[in-house]
Amino acid sequence: MIRLLTPEQEKSLRDTLIFDYVYMMVHDTLRAMRPDITDLTQVQIWLAATDFTTRLLLLPDAEELLPDEVEDLKQQAKGKNDAVLIMTTSICQLSALRIKEQLADNLIRCLLPHVMNYPIYRQLLELIDGKEQRMAAKGKTMDFEAYGLTRVEVKDCHNKEVERIFDSFVHNLENMTPEAAAHQLLLLNMLNLQEEHRYDKQVMEGFAKLKFKVDVRPLVRVENGDYVLEKHVENEIGKVETGGTGITINKEGKI
């Protein structure tokens, strides 16, 4: 629900959201919350609130199911104020949707107990109320009957340089020991998760190479007419030096 955004994505979304009345009513207030109150940008909070609001409107029984949704949001939100900011923004969205959405009032009532005891909730509402009055004084009002949440598409902005580095690391896995390759792939996958699976293709290719490197070979195989027992050699045995991976047993049964 809380999306990681590149600077390019953030700017593109801002250019779209400036035409949404409710966003314009809350965005500067949310922006002022950084960094003391939250690390999230106003766009991240708005998108998370939009996803949250949309999901709530689909609930068949808000009073029974909403607490689970709130719990999920709190678990995902890292900052102590993030969930309250998102839910308060959602309340603003629901207030604007009250004419079009019959469930809006009931959802607001269900959300209030989860936010109203937090000082940041009242502070946020007071600042937003002041912004709304200033907008109204300038003649900027909203047609509540026509209002609908702005649907935005988060465009995938690939960083070509990062993608090139990923490709290079995955290619070099072939030259590493299985242990080093596994460690390297773990680090790459952690970065991939932080980038919301943007580099799944490279990571999956890396896992395929790692699987090939650590495939278990048969215990006994035939090589040039001799039987070879696949095991690591701790001490030199016959022609197999220390560190080798096979013991050759000739047809005469001698090592």
Side-chain angles (χ1 to χ4, degrees), residues 16-121:
T16 300
L17 291 172
I18 57 176
F19 298 101
D20 187 297
Y21 175 89
V22 181
Y23 172 78
M24 291 301 295
M25 188 174 68
V26 305
H27 83 102
D28 53 345
T29 299
L30 296 176
R31 184 178 57 206
M33 296 291 168
R34 300 184 73 196
D36 296 333
I37 305 300
T38 182
D39 289 328
L40 299 178
T41 68
Q42 66 272 22
V43 174
Q44 285 179 298
I45 295 173
W46 177 267
L47 291 183
T50 300
D51 291 343
F52 187 63
T53 298
T54 302
R55 184 168 176 82
L56 293 184
L57 289 170
L58 296 175
L59 294 178
D61 189 333
E63 292 186 8
E64 181 177 347
L65 301 175
L66 184 139
D68 292 335
E69 301 299 325
V70 172
E71 187 63 29
D72 289 344
L73 176 61
K74 289 181 177 180
Q75 289 181 0
Q76 186 178 11
K78 295 181 179 179
K80 63 179 181 179
N81 297 307
D82 292 353
V84 176
L85 292 174
I86 292 169
M87 285 188 283
T88 303
T89 304
S90 180
I91 289 174
C92 293
Q93 294 175 345
L94 289 167
S95 297
L97 292 168
R98 290 167 67 181
I99 294 179
K100 294 182 66 174
E101 298 288 349
Q102 296 180 352
L103 294 176
D105 281 332
N106 190 33
L107 289 171
I108 292 173
R109 285 194 295 270
C110 293
L111 278 174
L112 285 176
H114 297 281
V115 296
M116 61 188 308
N117 292 327
Y118 292 86
I120 189 63
Y121 164 71

Side-chain angles (χ1 to χ4, degrees), residues 231 233-242 246-248 255:
K231 63 175 292 184
V233 180
E234 297 294 340
N235 300 299
E236 183 174 347
I237 301 177
K239 297 180 180 180
V240 182
E241 298 180 356
T242 301
I247 301 175
T248 300
I255 298 180

Side-chain angles (χ1 to χ4, degrees), residues 176-185 210 213-214:
M176 300 180 185
T177 64
E179 293 79 10
H183 177 71
Q184 187 68 62
L185 193 55
L210 180 62
K213 293 174 74 70
V214 299

Side-chain angles (χ1 to χ4, degrees), residues 202-237:
Q202 288 86 347
V203 171
M204 293 306 295
E205 180 182 346
F207 274 117
K209 290 184 178 182
L210 180 62
K211 180 180 182 301
F212 176 77
K213 293 174 74 70
V214 299
D215 269 348
V216 178
R217 289 169 293 180
L219 179 63
V220 177
R221 60 185 170 85
V222 176
E223 185 177 274
N224 298 325
D226 292 335
Y227 298 102
V228 179
L229 181 65
E230 297 288 359
K231 63 175 292 184
H232 182 79
V233 180
E234 297 294 340
N235 300 299
E236 183 174 347
I237 301 177

